[in-house]
């Protein structure tokens, strides 16, 4: 905080990034006041993924958030955004297809024409990452050795980028490669399951993303409908569409083949 206060005194802009976990989730309101008082211009929220010191083999693995905690994060982020005292940024490993998320992204984007809507992971498509040892990956957040394309010490970057089959895991990925909820989701064909690094660290592969806010909210709605129908002893069927309110359109693909 001392460094942030020094930046404010020199009229220099500052940005704060919070890696969200179970320990600091309850401290966000206090942290907001500290950052606002320090004159922080932007505040980025990102999920602390189960990698490194938070990996499944770590004694700190219990600090990793559950998918069910995502709505609380977005409620808070949206309230901060509406207050207007600090610009909120939502990192790529949080989302997706939620009206609050899109509104925040549109406002905070440096691209004025941005829709704020997630349009798939660009790793290996329009961006790449170079690790400290020269390894080339689609994104520096991807630390799975299966996704190292090559090394700059051995191969020129242009050759790595342009050779046939480069970054095929993402450049050639289609909805047919997805499974579970993501395979049926109406946004699946262009979302392709959200952040690659998040899926690798939480799922172990790229086929589904339990940490998608849209998926969490959809399943919550279906669970609530099922509960009330059982309480009423009704023979009515669940409405498996998901329209209005928090998320965008109705999930018509689920209506035909999903059960409560």
């Amino acid at each position: 905080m001392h460094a942030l206060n020094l930046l404010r005194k020199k009229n220099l802009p500052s940005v704060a990034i919070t890696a969200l976990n179970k320990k600091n989730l309850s401290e966000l309101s206090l942290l907001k006041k500290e950052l606002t008082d320090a004159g922080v211009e932007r505040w980025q929220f990102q999920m602390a993924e189960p990698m490194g010191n938070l990996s499944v083999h770590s004694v700190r693995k219990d600090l990793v958030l559950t998918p069910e905690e995502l709505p609380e994060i977005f409620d808070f982020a949206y309230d901060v955004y509406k207050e207007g005292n600090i610009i909120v940024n939502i990192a790529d490993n949080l989302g997706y297809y939620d009206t609050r998320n899109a509104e925040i992204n549109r406002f905070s984007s440096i691209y004025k024409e941005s829709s704020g809507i997630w349009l798939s992971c660009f790793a290996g498509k329009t961006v790449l990452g170079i690790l400290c040892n020269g390894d080339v990956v689609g994104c520096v957040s991807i630390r799975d050795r299966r996704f190292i394309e090559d090394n700059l010490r051995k191969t020129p970057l242009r050759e790595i980028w342009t050779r046939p089959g480069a970054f095929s895991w993402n450049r050639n990925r289609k909805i047919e490669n997805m499974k579970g909820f993501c395979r049926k989701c109406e946004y699946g064909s262009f979302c392709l399951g959200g952040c690659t690094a998040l899926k690798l660290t939480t799922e172990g592969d790229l086929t589904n993303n339990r940490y998608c806010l849209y998926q969490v909210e959809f399943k919550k709605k279906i669970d609530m409908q099922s509960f009330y129908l059982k309480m009423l002893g009704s023979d009515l069927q669940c409405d498996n569409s998901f329209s209005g309110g928090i998320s965008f359109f109705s999930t018509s693909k689920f209506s035909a083949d999903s059960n409560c």
Side-chain angles (χ1 to χ4, degrees), residues 169-232:
W169 60 268
N170 203 21
R171 293 180 181 179
N172 299 331
R173 192 149 48 101
K174 297 178 174 59
I175 186 62
E176 289 77 17
N177 304 125
M178 307 306 293
K179 296 179 181 178
F181 187 98
C182 289
R183 176 65 179 264
K184 297 179 179 180
C185 181
E186 63 182 312
Y187 307 119
S189 59
F190 47 89
C191 171
L192 295 174
C195 173
T196 296
L198 177 64
K199 285 180 292 186
L200 287 174
T201 56
T202 58
E203 310 290 347
D205 61 31
L206 303 178
T207 60
N208 190 31
N209 185 358
R210 293 178 296 115
Y211 281 83
C212 167
L213 179 62
Y214 184 72
Q215 182 172 161
V216 171
E217 295 284 12
F218 182 93
K219 290 181 176 180
K220 185 194 301 183
K221 174 177 182 284
I222 297 302
D223 288 343
M224 288 178 62
Q225 287 184 336
S226 179
F227 172 78
Y228 284 121
L229 288 176
K230 288 179 181 178
M231 290 290 289
L232 294 172

Side-chain angles (χ1 to χ4, degrees), residues 121-130 135-140 142 146-152 156-173 196 206:
C121 171
F122 293 130
K125 293 180 177 179
T126 60
V127 299
L128 59 78
I130 301 173
D135 284 342
V136 177
V137 291
C139 168
V140 292
I142 300 173
R146 294 175 296 171
F147 294 84
I148 297 173
E149 294 293 320
D150 209 325
N151 190 286
L152 289 182
L157 184 58
R158 181 183 295 274
E159 181 179 334
I160 296 174
W161 182 260
T162 59
R163 67 186 173 195
F167 304 96
S168 60
W169 60 268
N170 203 21
R171 293 180 181 179
N172 299 331
R173 192 149 48 101
T196 296
L206 303 178

Side-chain angles (χ1 to χ4, degrees), residues 72-98:
E72 179 182 348
I73 293 171
F74 279 89
D75 286 341
F76 178 82
Y78 190 73
D79 287 343
V80 175
Y81 154 70
K82 295 298 287 184
E83 289 170 3
N85 296 320
I86 189 169
I87 298 173
V88 176
N89 286 88
I90 303 294
D92 287 348
N93 69 354
L94 286 173
Y96 310 87
Y97 301 98
D98 174 89

